[in-house]
Amino acid sequence: MVDPDIPDDDKRRIIGNNALADRRVVPSSASGWLGIIAGLLLILILIAVSQEVALDRMTLIGGTATLSVLLVGAAAVGLPWGRFAVLSSPARLVRLYQDRYVVPADLDRSARLLLDRAGHAVETVYASRVNQMGWLDPVANDVVLPRRLWEIARVLRTQSELRAEHARATGGVLTPELRAVLEPQLAALRRSAGEVTGQVAALEAYARRVQAADAALHAEDLLRSNDKYRDLLAHTDDLEGLRDLASRAHGVGAVLASSVREAVAAGRTLAVH
């Protein structure tokens, strides 16, 4: 999980970067700098060769040109590769953004479960047809959801750290003085956990509203096949069935409009909390 305010290029370098899975093991970016240094050295050699004055100019011109091409090619590869390696270096990313991304190793089991629930709810909203058709509030989806997900991940990381700290503190002899310190801390931790659980539940409620709107949209799509069912009932002179089919079809459009309104309202509720 990544802070949405991180520049997009670095965000892409962080997401899915297995080298960042364990913050304690961060490879060095030395290979990238070596590539840049090698590229610069090759350029300097090329400049020196190009200025060389040969005794037999006609004899050496072919070899000099060939060497020049090789050096230019090596520099063209070395400099971009070195730059790429440095920018993608886990060491650089950790140095710049160590507190602005969360990896699974940062979270305990209960925190991971909550973050998975929150992520699934957000993915459900993004994948919905009503979202892809632009029927939902764009501010709620494009701005609020990424930030809410990041804030949940950040707090869950802190909670995981504090739960581990509390577990270590209670592993020995519990004196009255120690209890006096730990009990209010544990109470605060539990209150925070309850608040985050409520935020995750709000995301899930929004996702359910969006799913209901999708279901209503699907029902409206199916109305296009009602003509076949009307023809089937007409062949048997089933007037009651025809009336029932027509009345139910009339209500689908209202259900869709209502479902979309409720989904939009749920998204806007997230924005004000």
Side-chain angles (χ1 to χ4, degrees), residues 46-129:
L46 175 61
I47 293 173
V49 170
S50 65
Q51 294 179 348
E52 181 181 353
V53 179
L55 295 176
D56 189 350
R57 186 179 183 85
M58 296 303 295
T59 301
L60 295 178
I61 190 169
T64 302
T66 301
L67 180 59
S68 298
V69 170
L70 291 175
L71 290 173
V72 168
V77 172
L79 285 173
W81 169 251
R83 180 176 182 275
F84 170 80
V86 168
L87 292 177
S88 301
S89 160
R92 170 185 170 273
L93 296 173
V94 170
R95 183 175 67 255
L96 292 178
Y97 308 115
Q98 59 181 337
D99 294 325
R100 298 177 65 185
Y101 67 88
V102 174
V103 296
D106 294 333
L107 307 176
D108 57 24
R109 183 175 181 277
S110 61
R112 283 196 297 269
L113 290 174
L114 271 178
L115 188 58
D116 286 346
R117 284 172 53 189
H120 179 70
V122 171
E123 289 171 5
T124 297
V125 173
Y126 285 150
S128 67
R129 284 182 64 196

Side-chain angles (χ1 to χ4, degrees), residues 105-111 156-171 182 185-186 189:
D106 294 333
L107 307 176
D108 57 24
R109 183 175 181 277
S110 61
L156 287 173
R157 177 179 62 193
T158 301
Q159 289 176 355
S160 297
E161 293 170 353
L162 293 177
R163 275 194 289 265
E165 179 183 284
H166 190 270
R168 289 192 297 270
T170 57
L182 293 177
Q185 290 181 348
L186 181 59
L189 185 55

Side-chain angles (χ1 to χ4, degrees), residues 31-51:
S31 61
W33 287 111
L34 287 175
I36 291 178
I37 293 170
L40 292 174
L41 287 175
L42 289 171
I43 291 176
L44 292 175
I45 293 172
L46 175 61
I47 293 173
V49 170
S50 65
Q51 294 179 348

